[in-house]
Amino acid sequence: MLWRSFPPYQIMKKGIWFFSIVLCPYLLLQQTNGQTLEQSHQIGNIEGNVGDVLEDDPVGSLKVFVYELPSKYNEDLVEKDPRCLTHMFAAEIFMHRFLLSSPVRTLDPEKADWFYVPVYSTCHLTKSGLPLPFRSPQMVRSAIQQIASNWPYWNRTEGADHFFVVPHDFGACFHYQEEIAIKRGIMPLLQRATLIQTFGQKNHVCLKEGSIVITPYASPQRMQAHLLPPYIPRTIFVYFRGLLHDGINDPEGCHYARGARASLWLNFKNNPLFDISTYHPTTYYEDMQRAVFCLCPLGWAPWSPRLVEAVIFGCIPVIIADDIVLPFADAIPWEDIAVFVAENNVPKLDTILTSMPTEVILRKQKLLANPLTKQAVTFSEPAQPGDAFHQLLNGLARKLPHDGSIYLKPGEKILNWTAGPVEDLNPW
Amino acid sequence: MKQMAGQHPNRRPYSAAVPGEAAALRPPSFLFWSAVHVLCCLVSAALGFRFSRLLFLLLFSPASHHHHLHHDHHLHLLRQPPAAVIPSPPPPRPDLPPPPPPPAVAGRVGVGRHGIRVRPWPHPDPAEVARAHEILVRLQQEQRLRYGVKDPRPVIVVTPTYARTFQALHLTGLLHSLMLVPYPLTWLVVEAGGVSNETASLLARSSLPVVHLPFHEDMPVLWNDRHRFEARMRLRALRVIRERRLDGIVVFADDSNVHTMELFDEIQKVQWMGALSVGILAHSAAPDATAKRQQRASEETSPLPIQGPACNSAGQLIGWHTFNSLPYAKKAATFVGDGVTVLPTKLEWAGFVLNSRLLWKEAEGKPNWARDLDEVGISGEEIESPLDLLKDASSVEPLGICGKKVLLWWLRAEARYDSKFPTRWVIDPPLEIVVPAKRTPWPDAPPDLPYQRIEYEGSHVEKRVSKKVRSSRSKRSSHNKKKHETHVDTQVSDMSSAQEK
């Protein structure tokens, strides 16, 4: 009872009333403001924003140290064969160039969260421009030997805070043929490192836990050069250009693309709604902009730059690849943008596509028209906020902070430097 | 992804199956089985397909018998591997039994051979095609709403026409072009000689709102007169627009002209009066030597004559590109159906578009450089081009990137003014005598000898040309005489004998 007559209490009581009378409406206002903001954001969402995740800025969330390897691992290969800059595996080269001048780069390795090893493992090309993977494991191994001997950071964690860009067909399995890639498995030395690759398939040997799946490289300048104004009417219902039957490597069929592409051809070659063929016209990009659906079936590997091209040109991708893991899946809502068709359902593809309600198709087109989505799948030059480089760094930033257990005790060794096929142990 | 040709040694994915099977067999019978295998290989080499594999799988894998039964109902879904599709030789094989299980992968999709699923009737379902077209129409509508012209104005099309041989050809073409225009359209068709059933039946085929106006004078035969006559017909239509206060953009679409769809999008930009570039397809209809010389001459001077606005570098109208008729001075057509080039006037009406409010008596914001329509053409004044409707021609807006884009083509192709054609292009009742054309083979006709009656080289050409008509008839008539004994024969033979005379 005494405390009631205590003067500060009186003031306090008055104060409480005062604050509640003044603050409540203010708080309510804030709430409603927040709500309207959220609402407008949500309305913005319905209009076309695909999510806040796309707009995350990696600068400030992580620091990357770029190893300075001798140029025989990177620059020299590009000089020898500049085709490496335009093929679909060029992400490794552009990632290196981006990181060299990016604000996330740090020159002090003690401050770095992630370490980047710039080795262009896909830059040995045949005469026809296809990469040979036979020397890639040797090259990567040699690079790791270099960094292990010149810097202490590899041995500190045996690569657990290092990342490599391996954009080849089956990632770090370093082979283009799936059976052999599965047999080889991921290169033993890269078991602990984070792999950034274009290949992604659930429960597959060549996709390990913690890998970041990125989009394949498609030249943004080339695509910009072929842009049509958006009012050109979309008159092609389904469009596809590409190999339907690999006569060289799979002459009997039934093997390439798990039979899906052959099935497409056999079921729909007479269908006027389907514009599918192997002939690659010069107006390929313009045709994609005049099509409503662009097919992205698997080939020898489930991924293809077709997906990137379809997103950029506003054509709804129809993904025919069972268990595929799509790039930047936490940032881009692929289920809302693309149409997924099981490989078994390819014969019913026309029924599936024509029975889609028009509102669903319109909504997908609206989401595709969002410039943020298009930005997220391009490796733009120079780098823009929200582009594929940023999404990649966001992916790395989300894996931070590193668990303490990655740091090895002195003398502890986990990786087996002699594991793997014998050819890989050859010096490069 | 992409594979190299034979660069790597072993490409056989299922070669694992054979060693597996061989390993499972007991050593004592190994020789026996290898002998059987050799025999099967020889048989395969003779027959041309892999006989041994089929045999082994069918006979020596009892466990997979269940497999077969289970997969039987799949087999009519699964087609043969596309031996038929590959152009290179592999011979047709029997349906492959389902593949050996793929190497162990944790996922449910595996490497190895898979069947190619083809449905029994791989052809489009018409209902689905119709639905797809509905979807496309709706999507294109949405595209237009989002990216196309905002607040599109209706279009008023003015077409002078008259019933003649080629009217069906030209008017149907124009009709289909107008049906594709995505904006609300009103079509004013002014017909010389009054309203006729020909034109009415053609117009009824469109679903467009048509105003069919009669013009009670006949179309003149000489081209010069005709150009002036058409101008009067168009003025009649403009007066109707003024009376009824129709709102929109007036386009002068002559029935034989060719219009692009971009034209109708471009004219939405016009404020009061706009000018477009018209490509002039002025070439002769008759494919003879004089025309070829003409064509070559005109090609040397310029690729395609274009009429339209001329602009300076700032994009302002400074003058007009008109048709240069000097190269055609001696070879111009005078009457309709003349075999030589038809020339356009200096500035064709088709190259101009107006805002219909320019024609109204009172309209908001109507500029004062437009003459009142009632004053135009009354006192026998010559109206040559829409510029005569204005006091001042400098405020005409150039369209189509200042005339750089050709949005329509002017063409005049007419049959002779006195040529006859069946009413509404319907032959009713059907003809009694049907004679096949020279090149259509009659089922059991004797072989045709077209040149037997040529006597000497000099008259070779002429004889052949006239013989074409005659010989077929005479051949057929003689044939008919043999086969049918109706009065048809006598008619035909009468005709052929009359011609031969």
Side-chain angles (χ1 to χ4, degrees):
Chain A
M1 295 304 178
L2 194 65
W3 58 273
R4 281 211 190 173
S5 51
F6 195 47
Y9 172 67
Q10 299 286 345
I11 301 170
M12 206 168 69
K13 211 163 85 164
K14 287 209 181 88
I16 289 172
W17 275 111
F18 170 75
F19 272 103
S20 56
I21 289 171
V22 170
L23 273 182
C24 261
Y26 175 65
L27 285 170
L28 277 170
L29 260 169
Q30 280 286 61
Q31 275 261 334
T32 48
N33 266 350
Q35 230 176 32
T36 47
L37 266 176
E38 227 182 68
Q39 257 177 9
S40 61
H41 200 57
Q42 263 182 358
I43 291 169
N45 271 341
I46 294 171
E47 278 293 63
N49 277 350
V50 286
D52 314 318
V53 190
L54 273 184
E55 301 165 33
D56 273 351
D57 192 3
V59 177
S61 348
L62 81 166
K63 285 270 168 232
V64 177
F65 176 73
V66 183
Y67 281 115
E68 274 173 28
L69 286 176
S71 58
K72 65 172 181 167
Y73 293 101
N74 30 55
E75 305 288 313
D76 285 354
L77 294 169
V78 178
E79 255 185 63
K80 231 175 18 178
D81 195 347
R83 286 179 303 177
C84 289
L85 285 170
T86 46
H87 67 179
M88 62 178 95
F89 310 103
E92 50 186 7
I93 304 174
F94 289 103
M95 190 62 197
H96 185 203
R97 293 187 182 182
F98 163 71
L99 281 174
L100 284 175
S101 53
S102 157
V104 301
R105 181 188 187 192
T106 169
L107 296 168
D108 180 7
E110 294 299 329
K111 296 213 187 84
D113 301 306
W114 285 103
F115 293 82
Y116 173 56
V117 184
V119 51
Y120 299 170
S121 51
T122 347
C123 201
H124 308 279
L125 302 184
T126 63
K127 224 175 0 167
S128 54
L130 299 166
L132 279 175
F134 304 118
R135 309 200 60 206
S136 314
Q138 298 162 5
M139 192 165 129
V140 174
R141 192 192 153 80
S142 158
I144 294 177
Q145 273 169 342
Q146 274 265 336
I147 59 175
S149 45
N150 291 341
W151 287 274
Y153 308 103
W154 178 268
N155 291 324
R156 196 169 63 166
T157 56
E158 295 247 277
D161 52 358
H162 289 55
F163 69 90
F164 293 76
V165 182
V166 280
H168 195 241
D169 290 359
F170 288 98
C173 291
F174 291 122
H175 210 275
Y176 46 82
Q177 245 218 343
E178 198 171 354
E179 300 92 21
I180 302 182
I182 291 174
K183 220 166 49 159
R184 288 175 52 98
I186 294 183
M187 197 173 141
L189 283 179
L190 297 176
Q191 289 294 348
R192 287 170 62 88
T194 295
L195 297 175
I196 299 184
Q197 56 192 56
T198 46
F199 170 74
Q201 193 176 303
K202 292 190 195 131
N203 299 325
H204 199 277
V205 176
C206 298
L207 176 70
K208 78 178 177 81
E209 183 77 42
S211 296
I212 298 176
V213 182
I214 59 167
T215 50
Y217 179 77
S219 168
Q221 295 92 346
R222 250 188 79 206
M223 291 197 283
Q224 284 292 323
H226 289 271
L227 267 185
L228 290 179
Y231 56 76
I232 302 277
R234 289 189 187 261
T235 49
I236 304 173
F237 195 62
V238 177
Y239 189 75
F240 174 75
R241 286 289 186 274
L243 213 54
L244 291 161
H245 168 253
D246 191 345
I248 304 166
N249 297 306
D250 180 35
E252 295 137 3
C254 294
H255 197 65
Y256 176 57
R258 296 198 274 267
R261 288 198 186 190
S263 174
L264 263 180
W265 172 249
L266 291 172
N267 279 301
F268 301 114
K269 60 183 180 182
N270 293 319
N271 198 317
L273 301 173
F274 283 66
D275 186 355
I276 51 182
S277 101
T278 49
Y279 170 66
H280 206 282
T282 42
T283 53
Y284 175 58
Y285 282 161
E286 285 86 350
D287 291 344
M288 278 186 121
Q289 291 171 80
R290 300 211 24 236
V292 176
F293 291 104
C294 285
L295 298 181
C296 302
L298 71 161
W300 288 109
W303 60 271
S304 150
R306 231 170 240 117
L307 184 64
V308 176
E309 289 161 356
V311 171
I312 303 263
F313 294 130
C315 183
I316 300 174
V318 178
I319 297 173
I320 307 173
D322 288 347
D323 285 351
I324 188 174
V325 174
L326 286 170
F328 305 135
D330 38 7
I332 302 175
W334 292 108
E335 297 77 30
D336 294 334
I337 290 178
V339 179
F340 289 86
V341 177
E343 288 165 30
N344 285 342
N345 286 336
V346 166
K348 296 187 229 136
L349 189 61
D350 55 350
T351 317
I352 296 173
L353 292 179
T354 50
S355 61
M356 283 177 67
T358 327
E359 299 76 39
V360 172
I361 304 179
L362 281 171
R363 181 152 196 280
K364 287 190 200 276
Q365 284 193 328
K366 246 190 235 180
L367 286 171
L368 274 173
N370 184 7
L372 286 177
T373 324
K374 295 191 211 268
Q375 191 79 281
V377 297
T378 22
F379 290 97
S380 37
E381 231 181 315
Q384 311 252 337
D387 66 2
F389 295 117
H390 274 210
Q391 302 303 329
L392 205 161
L393 291 176
N394 281 338
L396 287 170
R398 267 176 247 133
K399 295 182 80 179
L400 292 175
H402 291 299
D403 191 36
S405 60
I406 62 167
Y407 295 100
L408 303 175
K409 302 185 197 41
E412 188 184 347
K413 282 244 170 281
I414 299 181
L415 291 181
N416 184 354
W417 283 71
T418 51
V422 185
E423 306 84 48
D424 290 358
L425 303 174
N426 291 340
W428 183 66
Chain B
M1 276 303 293
K2 297 201 186 116
Q3 297 297 310
M4 271 100 44
Q7 285 247 351
H8 43 101
N10 46 345
R11 195 203 59 76
R12 317 275 296 286
Y14 46 84
S15 53
V18 171
E21 279 170 28
L25 303 168
R26 294 252 142 96
S29 49
F30 180 66
L31 285 171
F32 172 66
W33 291 123
S34 61
V36 172
H37 188 69
V38 166
L39 182 66
C40 291
C41 285
L42 290 172
V43 171
S44 317
L47 287 175
F49 60 85
R50 265 200 299 278
F51 184 66
S52 62
R53 186 165 312 282
L54 184 66
L55 203 61
F56 273 126
L57 276 166
L58 284 176
L59 297 178
F60 299 113
S61 44
S64 62
H65 275 315
H66 305 296
H67 228 30
H68 289 301
L69 292 171
H70 183 63
H71 283 261
D72 252 337
H73 65 277
H74 278 317
L75 282 178
H76 49 243
L77 266 185
L78 287 172
R79 206 163 114 160
Q80 299 172 24
V85 178
I86 308 167
S88 60
R93 307 159 63 170
D95 275 306
L96 268 188
V105 174
R108 58 186 181 90
V109 286
V111 191
R113 303 192 79 73
H114 292 68
I116 298 174
R117 304 186 83 88
V118 184
R119 61 192 197 202
W121 179 247
H123 289 285
D125 177 19
E128 281 169 15
V129 175
R131 168 98 186 98
H133 281 291
E134 275 170 46
I135 294 177
L136 283 175
V137 164
R138 176 79 184 85
L139 293 180
Q140 286 172 20
Q141 217 177 33
E142 195 62 39
Q143 253 185 300
R144 264 198 299 276
L145 279 174
R146 277 193 129 203
Y147 306 111
V149 179
K150 299 280 179 277
D151 308 319
R153 287 176 283 173
V155 177
I156 304 168
V157 183
V158 170
T159 305
T161 185
Y162 72 109
R164 68 229 191 248
T165 316
F166 283 8
Q167 184 199 31
L169 170 73
H170 297 311
L171 205 58
T172 318
L174 180 61
L175 195 146
H176 288 156
S177 300
L178 294 179
M179 280 166 79
L180 287 175
V181 174
Y183 309 113
L185 193 121
T186 312
W187 194 7
L188 272 74
V189 180
V190 188
E191 187 171 356
V195 171
S196 72
N197 287 336
E198 307 282 339
T199 321
S201 66
L202 283 170
L203 294 175
R205 289 186 204 164
S206 76
S207 51
L208 302 166
V210 181
V211 180
H212 195 170
L213 300 167
F215 195 80
H216 298 287
E217 283 174 45
D218 284 333
M219 188 65 96
V221 166
L222 298 178
W223 277 110
N224 289 338
D225 295 336
R226 201 169 141 176
H227 290 309
R228 284 190 284 267
F229 196 79
E230 277 177 5
R232 285 170 54 206
M233 288 166 78
R234 293 187 188 105
L235 273 180
R236 167 92 166 79
L238 293 181
R239 285 193 192 101
V240 169
I241 296 176
R242 180 189 163 88
E243 272 164 49
R244 301 195 193 184
R245 287 178 78 89
L246 294 175
D247 196 13
I249 303 171
V250 181
V251 181
F252 297 103
D254 301 338
D255 53 4
S256 54
N257 288 355
V258 180
H259 308 87
T260 59
M261 287 301 114
E262 287 158 2
L263 165 75
F264 296 98
D265 294 326
E266 190 68 24
I267 59 176
Q268 296 285 339
K269 295 182 192 159
V270 85
Q271 280 273 328
W272 290 106
M273 181 141 171
L276 321 151
S277 282
V278 183
I280 304 291
L281 302 173
H283 56 263
S284 158
D288 56 353
T290 46
K292 280 190 198 135
R293 260 183 266 131
Q294 219 176 36
Q295 259 180 357
R296 249 180 274 133
S298 60
E299 270 160 34
E300 279 159 17
T301 50
S302 71
L304 177 75
I306 295 182
Q307 262 187 12
C311 298
N312 61 8
S313 52
Q316 292 157 346
L317 184 72
I318 47 169
W320 304 96
H321 291 297
T322 59
F323 184 73
N324 178 18
S325 47
L326 282 180
Y328 302 92
K330 297 211 178 108
K331 307 158 211 154
T334 38
F335 60 92
V336 177
D338 200 357
V340 285
T341 322
V342 181
L343 300 182
T345 54
K346 284 231 301 286
L347 276 178
E348 277 292 321
W349 281 75
F352 292 92
V353 288
L354 325 162
N355 188 341
S356 64
R357 289 173 194 232
L358 209 58
L359 306 162
W360 292 1
K361 280 200 191 68
E362 295 109 29
E364 262 180 55
K366 183 172 159 184
N368 47 11
W369 40 262
R371 289 168 67 187
D372 194 50
L373 196 62
D374 287 337
E375 299 161 1
V376 173
I378 291 182
S379 46
E381 189 191 338
E382 277 279 323
I383 312 294
E384 279 185 5
S385 77
L387 294 179
D388 293 333
L389 296 173
L390 313 174
K391 292 178 200 151
D392 176 20
S394 60
S395 30
V396 173
E397 304 145 42
L399 298 174
I401 321 172
C402 214
K404 290 202 190 73
K405 253 188 136 171
V406 174
L407 294 169
L408 72 154
W409 291 274
W410 179 95
L411 170 70
R412 290 284 182 267
E414 297 293 345
R416 271 180 63 104
Y417 60 90
D418 51 354
S419 69
K420 301 277 178 284
F421 65 99
T423 2
R424 296 197 219 175
W425 286 102
V426 170
I427 297 176
D428 187 38
L431 297 173
E432 292 171 353
I433 305 161
V434 176
V435 177
K438 175 102 168 86
R439 298 202 191 284
T440 314
W442 202 250
D444 34 7
D448 217 355
L449 300 162
Y451 305 125
Q452 18 166 252
R453 296 181 66 219
I454 291 173
E455 283 146 41
Y456 52 93
E457 283 300 303
S459 60
H460 193 89
V461 176
E462 216 176 331
K463 272 255 157 53
R464 202 195 296 168
V465 168
S466 51
K467 246 199 68 56
K468 261 191 219 164
V469 180
R470 243 187 271 160
S471 66
S472 54
R473 289 223 176 135
S474 52
K475 285 279 169 300
R476 303 300 172 255
S477 65
S478 52
H479 167 75
N480 279 342
K481 251 193 201 152
K482 290 172 201 155
K483 293 261 165 151
H484 315 285
E485 279 104 25
T486 57
H487 69 286
V488 177
D489 275 339
T490 47
Q491 272 188 324
V492 171
S493 55
D494 276 348
M495 274 163 59
S496 56
S497 52
Q499 285 215 328
E500 272 168 53
K501 280 178 196 143

